Structure formats: structure tokens, C-alpha cells
């Protein structure tokens, strides 16, 4: 059994780590202590001689070379800032986040000789760093314990209970399988979920993830994320929640202590009211496609816009036409504006284009306006071209070889629009690029690990 403790200074990692290692009869490895021994200096001395960068480089090396096998590993508060550290720490381990109220942290570390990381007074430094790190701690951990009012002994017993029993009861797993069986998803998806009720296959430390949508049967996310979880050696499993009623999905999520959820049509706006922390980009777009539960908080993110922005990032200040005014289009407008593009939104239902354009301060019109706009960037955010209706929203005579055409539709990977655009000599970007990039960003919110795009492409079903 390998357990990694993460969390801010003063949350009790060292004391809990020592006690827990006794309780589990495994060695205690404290990365800060190993760094000090290897450097022949205290952390304070390393910071004053080599700065934070020097300390982080030493920390990375210690994490990379930690002895394998059963252990309790205590870490420094900033170890999770580097996703490469998180990938190494998480492999085959359960990562437990220790938390505490700011006032308690302040009291616990007031007498510490550790160097400050900012020029702020202690309480403000704690608040500022926690604000920035809280989502990173949430992402990197499997389970969290609030140590504010618990003794180290109580904290250890809570962790031990999680390791032995997990947080998903037999009853919850049975009702989950029965929900999935009646939800209209494929037999193979239901069979895949039987791991939940098989006492030989079920690992109590497993954390559950799911895609929530209606429909959700076509999503490639379950296969993709399960492959990535296995590639990184994580005790995680990803399911398919298909239901037209979001409140039923959220009840299920609560019952089986879901750790993370991808959100698709039609819930990306509706989910907003159930979250405690909405990231600034998701708030501006008005839609969330990624949810992470941690302790009392429910975090919401939007990674769709990242999947649209990244493939276009070399193009700035261009004239862009966006076809469509639905959920994907909102993320696309935000991405295009972040690249200083001049954006015109064209949509079959012009009123919807008007609402979106007014929100973001851009132009709009009906699809027929395309020919007089002469764009250099064209993004298709309509569902035209999606299987089984293989049509193109634009005809060959409307395209020019100077255009970059990005089709967000990714089933099929080669859409009629992309085929016509390629034959015209346009630069083309397939919807799979968006899918891979938004999924990579989502995986990071779910796990704290930043998978290389090549790995995500390889893991695509
Ligand atoms: P949505 O909210 O339902 O919006 C659909 C849009 O398509 C609306 O603007 C709608 O126009 C338009 N549309 C649908 N059928 C049309 C038709 N026959 N003629 C003209 N316009 C039509 O859907 P969404 O979530 O934005 O998704 C749009 C597309 O993006 C889907 O194909 C989806 O698969 C794709 N997508 C891809 C990724 C990826 O990772 N690659 C991620 C998200 C979405 P009206 O307003 O007039 O109805």
C-alpha cells in the first residue's frame, strides 16, 4: 500500500505521515527531509541561496528518484505545481489531500522557520497561495481530509477507513449498475460497469468519473479516459451517465461520491447552478464541460475553448466566420476573441446568433451572409456534417485556398466540409484536434497530470 500526502503547510502532513506509516507498517518518506539531507542545507538555506526555482528543481529530482514500493510519502506544499511530479506521485498510489481552515494553518505555521513565498503578511500569503493552489490540490488527490478539528490520530483512522472501504458502498454500486442497465447505453458499457459489483474486481480505493449527457452513447470519453487512467496507474474508473434529467445524474454522482464529470449536451449551462467554484473562462463562456468534486467544493471548468484556441494559436487578428450559435459556438467565440480575431457569427436561427454576438460584442447574420465576408478563418460549430447526415454547411465555390477551415464536428473525423476545403487548398483542422486537446485539459483537471497530446491521440478509441 502506497499513500501520498499532499496539502498546504500546516495541514499536518508530517505528523500524520509518521503516524500513518506506523499504522500501516510501511516506511515514511518525507520529500522535504530527503531534499535537506541530499543538499546538506535546510529548506530555508536552499531558498535563500538558490531561490524557489532551485528548490523546485531539487524537489523534482527527489520525487523522480523516490524508492518504489509500499510507503507513506509526505510532500512539500508546492509539489503539485508541477504536473510531472503529480504523475510520478500518483502511479499505483492513493493521494490524500490534507486541508485546514486558513486561521488554523496560520496558527500552526506562525512559529515556523520556513521561508515565505511572497512578500505578503503571513495570513494574506496563506489566502493568496490557497486560492491559487486549491484546484491543483483537488485535481491531484483521490480523497481529502479536513484536519481543522481532527487530531492526527483521527486523521489517520479516516485515511485507513478510506483505504480499506473506499467511499462507495455496496448498495450505491448496485444501484449504479441498475441505473446504467436501464439508461439505454450499450451492453458493453453496462458490462464494463460490472466491475463495480464484482467483489473480486472491485478495488475500494477506486474513484469514479463519468460523462453526463443526453444522449451520451456516442461519446468516446469513457474509452479514452479509462485508457489514460490505466496508462498512468491510477485507481480510477470512468462511466457513462445518460439521462435527460440532470438532477437524477447529480443524485447518482452524490451517491457514488463521483470525483469528476465531463458534461455534454444538454447540461453545459444547467450544471452552473450546482457548482461552488466556477473558473473565470467557464464563467465568461457561460458553460461548463468539466466538474471536479473535492471536500465541500464543486469546481467547474470549460476546456472546449482550449481545444479550439490551441490549433489556431499561430493565427492572430484574422477575420473569422463562426457557423453556429449553440454551446460549442460560445466556446469558439471566446477562443477566437482571445486571439484578437474579428468574429462574425452566422446561424440558421439568426436570433440565437444575435444573442451570442451581443454578449461578446461581435457581428452576426444568417448563413447566406458568408459570401460577402471573405474570412481567413472559418469555424464550423453547427452539427451539420455529423453522422449519420453527412452534409457540408458550405459549398466548394464558397471556399478560398487562403482560408483555414476548422470543423468542430469529429464524427466522422473527415467531414464533407473538411474534404471540400482540402480539395480547395485550404488549411484544415479536424474536430478530433479539438477533442484531443479539450480531453487533455480535462484529464489535468481530473488528475493533476498533463498528458502529452501524442499520448491522448494514441489513446483515442
Ligand atoms: P448545439 O448547442 O445543439 O448547437 C447546434 C448548432 O448547429 C446550432 O447553431 C444549430 O442552429 C446548428 N444546426 C443544427 N442543425 C442544423 C442544420 N440542419 N442547419 C443549420 N444549422 C444547424 O450543439 P453544440 O454543443 O454547439 O455542438 C455543435 C457541434 O460541435 C456538434 O457536431 C458537436 O459534436 C461538435 N462538438 C465537437 C467537440 C469536439 O471536441 N470536437 C466538442 C463539442 C461539440 P440553430 O440554432 O438554428 O438550431
Amino acid at each position: 500500500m502506497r499513500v501520498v500526502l499532499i496539502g498546504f503547510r500546516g495541514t499536518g502532513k508530517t505528523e500524520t505521515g509518521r503516524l500513518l506509516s506506523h499504522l500501516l507498517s510501511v516506511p515514511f518518506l518525507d520529500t522535504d527531509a530527503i531534499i535537506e539531507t541530499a543538499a546538506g542545507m535546510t529548506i530555508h538555506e536552499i531558498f535563500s541561496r538558490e531561490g524557489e526555482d532551485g528548490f523546485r528543481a531539487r524537489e523534482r529530482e527527489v520525487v523522480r528518484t523516490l524508492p518504489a514500493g509500499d510507503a507513506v510519502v509526505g510532500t512539500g506544499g508546492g509539489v503539485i505545481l508541477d504536473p510531472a511530479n503529480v504523475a510520478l506521485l500518483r502511479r499505483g498510489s492513493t493521494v490524500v489531500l490534507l486541508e485546514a481552515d486558513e486561521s488554523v494553518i496560520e496558527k500552526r505555521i506562525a512559529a515556523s522557520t520556513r521561508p515565505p513565498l511572497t512578500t505578503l503578511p503571513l495570513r494574506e500569503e496563506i489566502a493568496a497561495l490557497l486560492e491559487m493552489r486549491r484546484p491543483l490540490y483537488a485535481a491531484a488527490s483521490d480523497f481529502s481530509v479536513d484536519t481543522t478539528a481532527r487530531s492526527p490520530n483521527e486523521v489517520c483512522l479516516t485515511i485507513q477507513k478510506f483505504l480499506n472501504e473506499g467511499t462507495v458502498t455496496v448498495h450505491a454500486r448496485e444501484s449504479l449498475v441498475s441505473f446504467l442497465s436501464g439508461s439505454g447505453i450499450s451492453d458493453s458499457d453496462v458490462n464494463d460497469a460490472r466491475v463495480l459489483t464484482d467483489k473480486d474486481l472491485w478495488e475500494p480505493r477506486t474513484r469514479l468519473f463519468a460523462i453526463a449527457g443526453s444522449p451520451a452513447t456516442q461519446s468516446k470519453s469513457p474509452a479514452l479516459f479509462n485508457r489514460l487512467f490505466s496508462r498512468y496507474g491510477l485507481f480510477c474508473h470512468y462511466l457513462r451517465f445518460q439521462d435527460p434529467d440532470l438532477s437524477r445524474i447529480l443524485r447518482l454522482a452524490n451517491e457514488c461520491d463521483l470525483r469528476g464529470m465531463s458534461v455534454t449536451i444538454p447540461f453545459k449551462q444547467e450544471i452552473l447552478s450546482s457548482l461552488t467554484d466556477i473558473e473565470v473562462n467557464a464563467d465568461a463562456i457561460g458553460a461548463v464541460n468539466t466538474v471536479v468534486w473535492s471536500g465541500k467544493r464543486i469546481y467547474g471548468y470549460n476546456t472546449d475553448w482550449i481545444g479550439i484556441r490551441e490549433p489556431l494559436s499561430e493565427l492572430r487578428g484574422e477575420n473569422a466566420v463562426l457557423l453556429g450559435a449553440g454551446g460549442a459556438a460560445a466556446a469558439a467565440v471566446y477562443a477566437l476573441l482571445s486571439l484578437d480575431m474579428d468574429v462574425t457569427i452566422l446561424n440558421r436561427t439568426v436570433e440565437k446568433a444575435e444573442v451570442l454576438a451581443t454578449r461578446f460584442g461581435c457581428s452576426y447574420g444568417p448563413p447566406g451572409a458568408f459570401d460577402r465576408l471573405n474570412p481567413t478563418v472559418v469555424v464550423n460549430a453547427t452539427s451539420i456534417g455529423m453522422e449519420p447526415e453527412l452534409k457540408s454547411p458550405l459549398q466548394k465555390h464558397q471556399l478560398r485556398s487562403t482560408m483555414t477551415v476548422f470543423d468542430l464536428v469529429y464524427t466522422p473525423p473527415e467531414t464533407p466540409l473538411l474534404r471540400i476545403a482540402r480539395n480547395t487548398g485550404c488549411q484544415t483542422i479536424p474536430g478530433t484536434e479539438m477533442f484531443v486537446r479539450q480531453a487533455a485539459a480535462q484529464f489535468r483537471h481530473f488528475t493533476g497530470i498533463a498528458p502529452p497530446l501524442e499520448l491522448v491521440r494514441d489513446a483515442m478509441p
Side-chain angles (χ1 to χ4, degrees):
M1 184 85 67
R2 192 171 172 94
V3 181
V4 177
L5 301 178
I6 63 169
F8 202 75
R9 289 164 61 197
T11 51
K13 289 172 301 209
T14 309
E15 207 173 342
T16 304
R18 282 208 189 94
L19 265 176
L20 189 65
S21 76
H22 284 302
L23 196 64
L24 302 177
S25 307
V26 297
F28 177 50
L29 308 170
D30 182 14
T31 58
D32 278 354
I34 299 172
I35 293 167
E36 288 187 327
T37 308
M41 290 187 270
T42 64
I43 305 273
H44 203 291
E45 285 165 339
I46 298 172
F47 264 78
S48 54
R49 284 191 207 169
E50 302 172 6
E52 186 176 353
D53 288 350
F55 172 76
R56 296 283 169 226
R58 289 178 179 276
E59 185 177 56
R60 259 194 303 279
E61 185 54 18
V62 165
V63 168
R64 198 181 62 76
T65 53
L66 274 175
D70 291 349
V72 172
V73 179
T75 59
V79 76
I80 42 75
L81 297 174
D82 185 341
N85 286 343
V86 178
L88 289 163
L89 290 169
R90 291 202 69 151
R91 176 168 291 282
S93 307
T94 291
V95 179
V96 180
L97 166 63
L98 301 187
E99 298 183 286
D101 290 350
E102 284 171 23
S103 56
V104 170
I105 291 179
E106 184 187 20
K107 227 188 280 165
R108 288 181 187 163
I109 67 177
S112 152
T113 57
R114 287 285 166 85
L117 294 174
T118 66
T119 51
L120 296 169
L122 182 59
R123 183 62 184 270
E124 285 172 44
E125 173 173 298
I126 294 169
L129 288 176
L130 271 177
E131 177 75 15
M132 191 268 283
R133 288 185 186 173
R134 239 182 230 115
L136 303 178
Y137 286 134
S141 56
D142 295 292
F143 178 66
S144 63
V145 184
D146 190 338
T147 68
T148 303
R150 284 188 171 98
S151 69
N153 204 30
E154 286 167 330
V155 173
C156 285
L157 294 174
T158 308
I159 296 172
Q160 192 184 36
K161 186 166 185 308
F162 172 75
L163 297 172
N164 293 338
E165 297 168 26
T167 54
V168 200
T169 62
V170 175
H171 175 72
R173 284 182 274 129
E174 279 167 357
S175 67
L176 189 50
V177 172
S178 119
F179 166 89
L180 296 172
S181 312
S183 70
I185 62 175
S186 72
D187 289 348
S188 74
D189 279 328
V190 177
N191 280 337
D192 184 44
R194 296 218 182 270
V195 66
L196 300 168
T197 47
D198 184 321
K199 64 177 176 15
D200 295 326
L201 293 178
W202 176 248
E203 156 59 61
R205 290 174 287 173
T206 305
R207 298 312 315 260
L208 295 175
F209 295 76
I211 179 156
S214 180
T217 42
Q218 79 298 347
S219 171
K220 294 182 190 296
S221 296
L224 174 68
F225 283 107
N226 281 327
R227 282 177 194 173
L228 290 174
F229 288 150
S230 136
R231 167 71 178 71
Y232 282 102
L234 310 181
F235 297 116
C236 296
H237 192 74
Y238 192 105
L239 300 158
R240 200 184 291 277
F241 287 179
Q242 174 170 275
D243 196 291
D245 182 350
L246 181 60
S247 63
R248 268 168 58 89
I249 289 182
L250 290 175
R251 262 201 307 280
L252 199 65
N254 188 37
E255 202 180 341
C256 61
D257 197 26
L258 211 67
R259 186 71 181 156
M261 189 164 80
S262 312
V263 182
T264 185
I265 299 172
F267 302 133
K268 288 185 185 177
Q269 282 92 31
E270 194 182 340
I271 190 75
L272 289 167
S273 60
S274 305
L275 308 172
T276 60
D277 295 70
I278 301 172
E279 175 223 24
V280 58
N281 301 305
D283 193 35
I285 294 165
V288 154
N289 76 333
T290 309
V291 176
V292 175
W293 281 264
S294 179
K296 294 189 196 94
R297 292 175 183 254
I298 312 176
Y299 297 91
Y301 307 93
N302 187 305
T303 65
D304 284 335
W305 79 283
I306 296 170
I308 299 166
R309 187 187 198 275
E310 281 185 3
L312 294 169
S313 60
E314 302 287 298
L315 303 170
R316 285 192 162 263
E318 305 280 334
N319 244 345
V321 164
L322 173 63
L323 305 173
V333 167
Y334 188 71
L336 296 172
L337 291 177
S338 78
L339 295 168
D340 303 321
M341 296 201 193
D342 195 349
V343 182
T344 304
I345 303 168
L346 306 181
N347 194 46
R348 175 179 65 178
T349 311
V350 182
E351 297 74 35
K352 282 211 218 157
E354 182 181 4
V355 171
L356 193 58
T358 308
R359 184 144 73 86
F360 286 102
C362 31
S363 314
Y364 66 94
F370 184 86
D371 295 338
R372 55 182 166 73
L373 289 168
N374 199 21
T376 45
V377 171
V378 179
V379 176
N380 176 36
T382 73
S383 33
I384 307 174
M386 219 168 133
E387 279 163 349
E389 227 188 312
L390 298 177
K391 287 202 232 146
S392 170
L394 294 170
Q395 304 314 308
K396 189 166 171 35
H397 71 269
Q398 296 180 284
L399 299 175
R400 306 278 171 274
S401 60
T402 47
M403 293 175 179
T404 297
V405 177
F406 190 172
D407 197 346
L408 305 192
V409 174
Y410 71 103
T411 45
E414 164 95 343
T415 61
L417 172 62
L418 288 178
R419 201 164 36 249
I420 297 170
R422 189 167 305 112
N423 290 340
T424 311
C426 306
Q427 293 289 328
T428 57
I429 305 169
T432 44
E433 271 310 294
M434 173 183 175
F435 183 79
V436 161
R437 288 163 194 267
Q438 66 76 28
Q442 193 164 76
F443 190 76
R444 185 158 180 189
H445 288 307
F446 284 162
T447 64
I449 298 169
L453 291 179
E454 271 324 302
L455 182 72
V456 183
R457 282 196 191 98
D458 279 357
M460 278 283 283

